[in-house]
Amino acid sequence: MASSAESPHEAGKQSFDIVSTYRSLLLSDPELTMPVAAIEALVSLLQNSPSLSTISEILDLLASNAEKLKQSIANPISLSAGTDLFQRYIINSLQRGGPAGAAGDFDAIRAHLLTNGRLFVARAKEARRMIAQTARQFIKVGSTVLTNGGSRVVSAVLQAAAEAQIKETGAPRFRVVYAVSASYKNSYGDGGDTAEGTATVTALRRLAVPVAMISEAAVAYSMGQIDVVLVGAEGVVENGGIISRMGTYQMAVLAKASGKPMYVVAESHKFVRVFPLGQQDIGVDQNVLNFTTKVEEVIETGLLTPKANFASRRIAGESITPDLDGSGYFGKDALHDSKNADFVDYTPPGYISALISENGVLTPSAVSEELIKIWY
Amino acid sequence: MSFAPNLSSFLGSLKESPTNVELSLQTLVDLFKRRQIRGSRQCAIATAHLLKQVIRRFKARDTVSLIKRVQDVGQKLTDAQPKELAISNIIRRILGVIRDEADGDKEGDAFQNYSSSEPGTPRKKGSMSPPQGQQNGVPVIADLEALHRPPLLTSHTSYMASTNGPIVTSMFSLLSQPLSDTSTPGSQSPAQQLYSSFNPTLRPQELSAEVIDGIDEIIDELDNMDDQIASYAIDHIHSNEIILTHGTSLTVQRFLLRAASKRRFTVIHAEGYPNQHHETHATITGKHKASSDGDPDQSDVQRFAKPLIEAGITVVLIPDAAVFALMSRVNKVILGTHAVLANGGLIASAGVKSIALAAREHRTPVVVVTGVYKLCPTFVFDFDSFIEYGEPGCVLGCAEDSDLIGKVDVENPLHDYVEGELVDLFITNLGGHAPFSLSSVITEQYRSEDTDLAVGN
């Protein structure tokens, strides 16, 4: 969890605090993904607001709380997949009726949601297991797999592949190349400042899978020995592209350039209704390109007058909190930004060979159809 | 006239002894294993006819056991010849028919289940196909589809997909009713089995009669497929174009022949040495030699009476090696295929990949004509497992090159795997589809429960 600034407009009017509920849910279960935690938080919101009578009241309450949740964290993409899905499910059930009750019967839907709260979590975990069972077939005997990030699904896939190959041939007969970011500072609280994915690497090595950890700079160097690239995703966007850990896009480009297939494993509750046109369009405020100069020294040399100093204009446009820890007046480079572990990039669908969700193997274009089915 | 058993002798035996289903099944399994019935079309027809027999003779009490029976038979057939993907596709279609009948009865007797196509219901996926055509950028085709498609087909596709629950998408599987939580989320089969087993209104005779009607529609579809595909030919082949094709696909020949009725163009035909060149020559001259026994689509070539040259088309026969040299002059490449995989990739006869790559190099559009029964919903993890190898004798005859025998390894792959990105347009009997939209055509064709046939068992 990004420990960014607390939500400025923390609700004082309601006793139920969606943000803290969400956070305690995430902390209580390390296996829980953000979208599912968001859904759980919204379910307990419904539980705590018994006095709702009209449908629009319910939808307003859900929308405002979903918004509050999104505001509270730095990168709301994954989370918004969960809140969007939940809101859409409520609207759909209210309009068309469903197995939970006739159209408009909110009490029945609410009863269904409240009684089955834990079931959703169980299903989300089941989804991961199913993905692992499908996707492990991409890891053939004798192949070398490249991956990155700390995706729990990727970890499940690799372990499932190892177990299956142990069962079939007596030993895991594939190798893993794990690209880790050197500057990574773990923010999920599961191991201090060890690189993300260390837990997966340890687990795989315990299963006798040979793992090589490389820096992200060595991806191109290693690509010749790779057979398949396997990554997780924070969100799967409308055109079938993915938003994932920073560095995934360049891995995808390199894989494409070498003609290696790249597979994405992600549960279908990570499908999110955004359509990024490029890296700057993801909808996450991350100051990756932070241009700085040594302004004071430049002025001292007399090369520029203070007026012409364009750096001051940039400060005016600065949207993140100015850096005050003395490391420089103009904020940190992305390299030294403590938040860089949460940086994401967008991989366009053309680089993705297939997406594996619990519903099977999808082409990137099939993702948009799934989304269209629930939104239109 | 050959006396080895083949498709027509098998269909004859089905007619002669309609009661002994097990014997027919065993016969077909043997025919598949011995490759005496081969080629997607022949396998599809044989499978459909056999399953019709199976269902007619099956004393069904309920749909669950009927589905189980079809799955068992299907398993035997696919095991007999796993490389003929059309077999499992036809089994999936028939399973879909049975499931739809069961659901149709479940949904109520208010309307005659499949023939009615109530307009305006949001979950009618079958009625979505015309807009899809437009989405692909080929609106003409979509309109044509409505004109050309015989009514039986329309009803067919409309009931293929009409039976999902009120909430259509599997994305809601996370949140939906716990009814299906005992099984995998996203698969509805236990729920459906529940429905069909406590459905008292379902009478077995009615069920099997309607299922057999459904199978007859599939068989009709298989028979009329080439005509429907050919009806799009005029839109794609223009006067004075140079078309490159390969192999002996009857679908391609009929497609070109239909265009030849209106247009004058040139066909460059790559001969497909060493496995197909005899049939290619026969296809061009229209004189098929009956002696080439056991070759793919043999009887198809026989049925294909009028060759292109008689229709006034200039046909240039070239060896496969000349494809690249000539590609710069070609306007369009039109290919047949053995099967189309879920990711848009093709299993096609050997030589097609080099044609597709040459076309890509010259930015020549590649059009693949195929019946929908060749579209497979399964994702293939190991493409190479579908490549079939033929006898090395075709490459290296024992007599003439005997000094090479024993000194070299001879490989004779019959198929190529061609990536979907190399294809620009698929034309099926439902219309034209861009490669990226194939997945939606596939989801309309088959029920998601049947995607993995093995799991159903």
Side-chain angles (χ1 to χ4, degrees):
Chain A
M1 258 308 308
S3 56
S4 69
E6 286 296 300
S7 171
H9 40 265
E10 202 77 291
K13 30 190 167 163
Q14 272 169 352
S15 54
F16 180 77
D17 178 12
I18 185 100
V19 178
S20 60
T21 311
Y22 168 78
R23 288 198 174 148
S24 62
L25 276 167
L26 267 186
L27 279 179
S28 68
D29 184 354
E31 289 288 295
L32 206 61
T33 57
M34 287 157 82
V36 179
I39 289 174
E40 289 292 302
L42 289 177
V43 169
S44 42
L45 169 74
L46 287 183
Q47 203 163 18
N48 283 289
S49 352
S51 62
L52 297 167
S53 50
T54 68
I55 289 177
S56 70
E57 218 177 337
I58 297 155
L59 296 181
D60 277 354
L61 179 78
L62 286 177
S64 65
N65 278 280
E67 194 51 40
K68 205 181 289 173
L69 261 185
K70 287 184 213 170
Q71 296 289 332
S72 72
I73 64 170
N75 171 6
I77 293 163
S78 183
L79 186 153
S80 68
T83 56
D84 284 0
L85 183 69
F86 187 77
Q87 284 170 272
R88 202 60 214 171
Y89 177 75
I90 299 278
I91 293 172
N92 241 326
S93 311
L94 289 172
Q95 278 173 348
R96 298 190 193 162
D105 185 0
F106 178 67
D107 286 337
I109 294 162
R110 180 152 94 171
H112 158 67
L113 290 173
L114 296 187
T115 48
N116 295 303
R118 296 315 296 173
L119 182 69
F120 303 151
V121 180
R123 276 192 197 159
K125 287 179 185 164
E126 171 66 12
R128 197 178 297 156
R129 198 192 58 77
M130 289 172 66
I131 292 172
Q133 289 311 314
T134 313
R136 71 172 169 81
Q137 301 174 71
F138 284 109
I139 302 171
K140 301 196 191 86
V141 168
S143 62
T144 306
V145 185
L146 172 67
T147 186
N148 74 344
S151 163
R152 281 157 285 204
V153 195
V154 170
S155 170
V157 172
L158 293 173
Q159 292 183 41
E163 279 155 13
Q165 291 191 6
I166 288 172
K167 198 180 277 176
E168 282 161 23
T169 67
R173 295 179 194 276
F174 66 97
R175 298 180 299 176
V176 175
V177 177
Y178 217 109
V180 287
S181 146
S183 63
Y184 184 80
K185 292 274 187 290
N186 191 318
S187 66
Y188 285 86
D190 58 1
D193 59 1
T194 52
E196 187 180 38
T198 309
T200 307
V201 171
T202 314
L204 284 172
R205 284 179 173 155
R206 282 202 183 119
L207 285 168
V209 180
V211 186
M213 288 175 94
I214 59 168
S215 76
E216 285 174 323
V219 168
Y221 173 89
S222 325
M223 199 51 95
Q225 296 182 54
I226 303 295
D227 296 298
V228 55
V229 182
L230 186 75
V231 296
E234 219 160 274
V236 180
V237 300
E238 209 162 341
N239 58 8
I242 57 165
I243 290 172
S244 191
R245 173 74 60 245
M246 178 72 81
T248 307
Y249 179 36
Q250 72 187 26
M251 250 168 60
V253 174
L254 291 166
K256 180 94 178 179
S258 340
K260 305 292 160 80
M262 165 149 153
Y263 299 108
V264 175
V265 284
E267 301 97 326
S268 71
H269 62 252
K270 284 182 179 164
F271 291 6
V272 57
R273 196 170 161 243
V274 292
F275 199 119
L277 300 171
Q279 302 300 333
Q280 278 69 50
D281 199 32
I282 300 177
V284 181
D285 202 3
Q286 48 185 16
N287 212 16
V288 178
L289 299 184
N290 196 2
F291 299 100
T292 54
T293 54
K294 291 275 185 197
V295 175
E296 296 85 350
E297 289 170 28
V298 171
I299 291 168
E300 272 168 29
T301 60
L303 195 65
L304 291 173
T305 61
K307 248 186 200 167
N309 166 18
F310 59 87
S312 61
R313 273 177 289 158
R314 200 193 55 76
I315 298 164
E318 183 79 296
S319 56
I320 60 160
T321 44
D323 177 70
L324 297 174
D325 65 2
S327 66
Y329 185 69
F330 302 106
K332 286 175 180 171
D333 289 331
L335 194 58
H336 307 114
D337 191 333
S338 62
K339 288 201 292 267
N340 72 1
D342 293 326
F343 283 175
V344 289
D345 62 18
Y346 159 64
T347 307
Y351 293 97
I352 297 168
S353 311
L355 290 140
I356 300 104
S357 83
E358 71 274 20
N359 301 318
V361 184
L362 306 171
T363 53
S365 59
V367 172
S368 56
E369 285 182 24
E370 289 288 324
L371 280 164
I372 284 169
K373 270 193 256 169
I374 69 163
W375 285 95
Y376 304 103
Chain B
M1 182 64 206
S2 107
F3 293 100
N6 57 16
L7 177 63
S8 48
S9 74
F10 172 70
L11 294 182
S13 78
L14 274 184
K15 277 203 194 87
E16 278 164 26
S17 61
T19 45
N20 198 339
V21 176
E22 286 308 318
L23 179 71
S24 303
L25 172 61
Q26 195 49 49
T27 314
L28 186 58
V29 165
D30 292 344
L31 285 170
F32 280 160
K33 278 188 178 161
R34 288 191 225 114
R35 313 297 277 135
Q36 280 162 328
I37 293 183
R38 64 188 302 172
S40 299
R41 181 198 312 267
Q42 300 204 10
C43 289
I45 292 172
T47 307
H49 279 280
L50 178 80
L51 280 173
K52 192 168 133 186
Q53 200 86 316
V54 166
I55 289 167
R56 189 176 280 149
R57 295 291 146 202
F58 187 63
K59 304 282 173 270
R61 288 284 113 210
D62 55 336
T63 40
V64 179
S65 53
L66 183 61
I67 287 172
K68 181 90 180 79
R69 169 76 174 145
V70 173
Q71 279 171 338
D72 286 346
V73 172
Q75 193 63 46
K76 288 200 180 101
L77 294 178
T78 45
D79 285 351
Q81 198 40 264
K83 284 178 182 168
E84 293 286 1
L85 295 162
I87 299 173
S88 46
N89 289 341
I90 292 295
I91 292 161
R92 288 188 187 102
R93 287 282 294 272
I94 291 170
L95 283 171
V97 170
I98 299 170
R99 291 187 202 277
D100 288 340
E101 291 304 334
D103 295 356
D105 287 355
K106 173 196 80 192
E107 276 179 11
D109 317 66
F111 52 91
Q112 193 64 25
N113 30 37
Y114 62 82
S115 55
S116 75
S117 54
E118 339 109 87
T121 338
R123 55 198 155 95
K124 275 284 182 232
K125 271 196 269 170
S127 54
M128 264 168 55
S129 5
Q132 242 163 35
Q134 277 161 353
Q135 178 192 328
N136 304 345
V138 260
V140 193
I141 288 169
D143 294 338
L144 277 174
E145 179 190 340
L147 286 176
H148 290 298
R149 213 207 283 172
L152 57 96
L153 247 185
T154 346
S155 75
H156 192 73
T157 33
S158 72
Y159 80 84
M160 279 321 301
S162 64
T163 47
N164 290 311
I167 294 164
V168 209
T169 169
S170 48
M171 281 184 67
F172 282 142
S173 62
L174 183 74
L175 295 167
S176 59
Q177 196 64 345
L179 190 63
S180 61
D181 74 301
T182 49
S183 91
T184 56
S187 124
Q188 297 175 328
S189 44
Q192 268 153 5
Q193 287 177 356
L194 210 66
Y195 274 126
S196 40
S197 54
F198 64 63
N199 175 12
T201 62
L202 195 63
R203 282 180 294 276
Q205 283 82 8
E206 277 179 25
L207 174 77
S208 73
E210 281 172 1
V211 170
I212 284 168
D213 282 351
I215 297 177
D216 281 336
E217 283 186 26
I218 293 175
I219 294 171
D220 274 348
E221 192 187 313
L222 289 173
D223 289 343
N224 299 327
M225 191 156 285
D226 284 342
D227 279 344
Q228 288 162 3
I229 296 172
S231 63
Y232 305 114
I234 303 292
D235 301 321
H236 294 278
I237 297 176
H238 308 291
S239 289
N240 300 320
E241 276 191 333
I242 297 177
I243 308 286
L244 187 137
T245 187
H246 177 267
T248 57
S249 162
L250 187 62
T251 314
V252 173
Q253 290 301 314
R254 290 201 172 132
F255 190 82
L256 295 174
L257 200 58
R258 178 71 67 92
S261 65
K262 291 251 176 73
R263 309 261 153 83
R264 286 288 156 268
F265 54 94
T266 305
V267 171
I268 298 180
H269 205 136
E271 63 173 0
Y273 183 84
N275 294 307
Q276 287 187 303
H277 58 291
H278 290 305
E279 293 77 53
T280 306
H281 300 170
T283 310
I284 292 171
T285 56
K287 288 175 202 148
H288 183 71
K289 282 186 289 174
S291 61
S292 61
D293 209 354
D295 285 308
D297 291 340
Q298 176 206 353
S299 66
D300 282 352
V301 181
Q302 282 168 334
R303 273 189 285 146
F304 175 67
K306 191 181 168 193
L308 280 171
I309 41 176
E310 270 176 36
I313 299 298
T314 311
V315 178
V316 182
L317 181 71
I318 58 163
D320 288 15
V323 163
F324 195 91
L326 284 168
M327 190 57 83
S328 59
R329 301 182 57 187
V330 171
N331 296 97
K332 211 163 272 163
V333 176
I334 297 183
L335 297 169
T337 181
H338 180 69
V340 183
L341 306 176
N343 61 352
L346 310 176
I347 304 287
S349 37
V352 165
K353 182 160 186 175
S354 62
I355 293 177
L357 284 169
R360 167 57 45 100
E361 193 65 27
H362 288 94
R363 304 293 184 268
T364 309
V366 176
V367 179
V368 169
V369 289
T370 171
V372 280
Y373 71 98
K374 290 182 182 174
L375 305 187
C376 308
T378 41
F379 194 91
V380 175
F381 295 97
D382 187 9
F383 305 117
D384 295 342
S385 66
F386 287 95
I387 307 296
E388 199 183 335
Y389 284 81
E391 51 167 325
C394 296
V395 182
L396 187 64
C398 285
E400 62 252 40
D401 291 304
S402 52
D403 52 338
L404 277 178
I405 303 292
K407 299 194 179 79
V408 289
D409 286 343
V410 180
E411 299 270 357
N412 181 17
L414 298 180
H415 294 134
D416 265 346
Y417 172 71
V418 184
E419 289 86 351
E421 299 90 73
L422 297 177
V423 180
D424 296 284
L425 182 69
F426 285 91
I427 300 175
T428 71
N429 43 327
L430 300 179
H433 316 280
F436 63 81
S437 71
L438 268 189
S439 58
S440 72
V441 180
I442 288 170
T443 36
E444 265 174 52
Q445 281 294 311
Y446 310 105
R447 299 280 295 244
S448 57
E449 304 93 292
D450 299 324
T451 302
D452 195 349
L453 278 176
V455 162
N457 269 329

